[in-house]
Amino acid sequence: MPVNMIEEGDRSPRIILIEPTGSTAEVLLYGAQVISWKNERREELLFRSNKALSKPPKSIRGGIPICFPQFYNFGSLEQHGFARNRLWSLDDSPLPLSPANNHSTVDLILKSTEEDLKTWPHRFELRLRVSLSTNKLTLIPRVRNTDSKAFSFTFALCNYLSVSDISEVRVEGLETLDYLDNLLQKGRYTEQADAITFDGEIDRVYLSTPTKIAIIDHEKKRTYVLRKEGMPDAAAICLTMMCSCMEPLGQKSKGSSRFS
């Protein structure tokens, strides 16, 4: 199926995915970032800052940014790594994956450059398949080591979900897990609640997470189900409450931004 790509001056080219029931997704070549996912009723399911511009070299706050080869500040590189600030290419020879019947799909690739090697001396190929089907958006990343030596990395897909009043939202599936609290010097704690609700600033990384968690928005009567496969030893769920995508609570929320 041919790729539907839109180019607008000096803005990043974007790819439009459309599936038969009418749901859509938009993916930028810059950062391979999904910036929009709308259901068949044209309701936006992802948050994006109203100040966001799809204009390199600025990355967009919102959508689904890719963190590679470093997540957050867990390392010596720039926060969240450099993959989100690079121009990706269409993958002409994607790796074989399961057939995607009735899916609208695009395959993208990022290869290490000589400039990247100055800050992170490892050669790699990072592939991403974005696949849209009815009520489902699937992102499949694959990292290939093209170097002569092994390397380690951290990776994350940061989902900015569109929700109503944050006090009406709860997260299920993280009970009894350990987490790192970034508001308390990354101290390690164990989740005691049956579900996570929001009545103040939260900035946590949950460790060894299950394959499925649910984000329930009572006001919108909508449930997001996040599923993952692979990387079980490094799996983490990061919960950050920020004022522009959720109702602000507390002073720190007003200036908080992981992706500025």
Side-chain angles (χ1 to χ4, degrees), residues 19 50 56 73-74 105 109 117 130 147 151 155 198 217-218:
E19 61 87 35
N50 55 15
N73 59 3
F74 296 104
T105 299
I109 187 170
L117 293 173
V130 182
D147 214 325
F151 60 77
F155 181 93
F198 301 86
D217 187 338
H218 293 288

Side-chain angles (χ1 to χ4, degrees), residues 24-218:
T24 63
E26 295 185 24
V27 189
L28 297 181
L29 279 188
Y30 189 75
Q33 185 171 349
V34 178
I35 59 169
S36 175
W37 173 28
K38 294 180 180 179
N39 61 21
E40 67 278 4
R41 295 184 297 277
R42 306 302 297 156
E43 297 169 332
E44 180 59 67
L45 304 178
L46 298 178
F47 163 82
R48 182 171 56 169
S49 170
N50 55 15
K51 297 180 181 179
L53 295 174
S54 52
K55 187 175 180 179
K58 292 289 187 180
S59 57
I60 286 181
R61 184 169 175 231
I64 309 178
I66 293 175
C67 304
F68 176 88
Q70 176 182 298
F71 169 65
Y72 193 34
N73 59 3
F74 296 104
S76 59
L77 299 177
E78 61 185 283
Q79 182 163 291
H80 296 306
F82 51 74
R84 67 192 182 103
N85 293 318
R86 296 291 185 271
L87 186 64
W88 292 49
S89 303
L90 293 174
D91 192 352
D92 295 328
S93 54
L95 297 174
L97 295 170
S98 302
N101 296 328
N102 296 320
H103 290 200
S104 180
T105 299
V106 65
D107 289 284
L108 302 175
I109 187 170
L110 178 69
K111 298 181 180 181
S112 53
T113 66
E114 293 303 316
E115 192 65 26
D116 295 332
L117 293 173
K118 294 177 182 178
T119 55
W120 198 64
H122 307 290
R123 298 185 184 277
F124 69 88
E125 291 179 354
L126 174 56
R127 285 181 160 88
L128 179 71
R129 169 168 289 185
V130 182
S131 183
L132 177 69
S133 57
T134 304
N135 295 322
K136 186 177 181 180
L137 182 67
T138 304
L139 280 73
I140 305 175
R142 290 190 175 188
V143 180
R144 180 188 176 201
N145 184 352
T146 58
D147 214 325
S148 58
K149 56 185 182 296
F151 60 77
S152 61
F153 62 91
T154 51
F155 181 93
L157 297 170
C158 290
N159 299 274
Y160 282 73
L161 303 177
S162 176
V163 298
S164 59
D165 188 326
I166 190 60
S167 65
E168 297 294 325
V169 175
R170 59 190 282 131
V171 181
E172 297 182 352
L174 301 177
E175 57 275 7
T176 74
L177 296 184
D178 284 358
Y179 64 86
L180 305 178
D181 195 323
N182 292 314
L183 300 181
L184 297 173
Q185 291 74 51
K186 297 182 182 176
R188 184 162 179 159
Y189 303 90
T190 300
E191 183 57 64
Q192 303 295 327
D194 293 333
I196 297 168
T197 56
F198 301 86
D199 58 2
E201 182 76 18
I202 287 182
D203 190 349
R204 301 172 181 170
V205 176
Y206 284 80
L207 307 174
S208 301
T209 55
T211 57
K212 181 180 75 172
I213 68 167
I215 297 94
I216 301 166
D217 187 338
H218 293 288

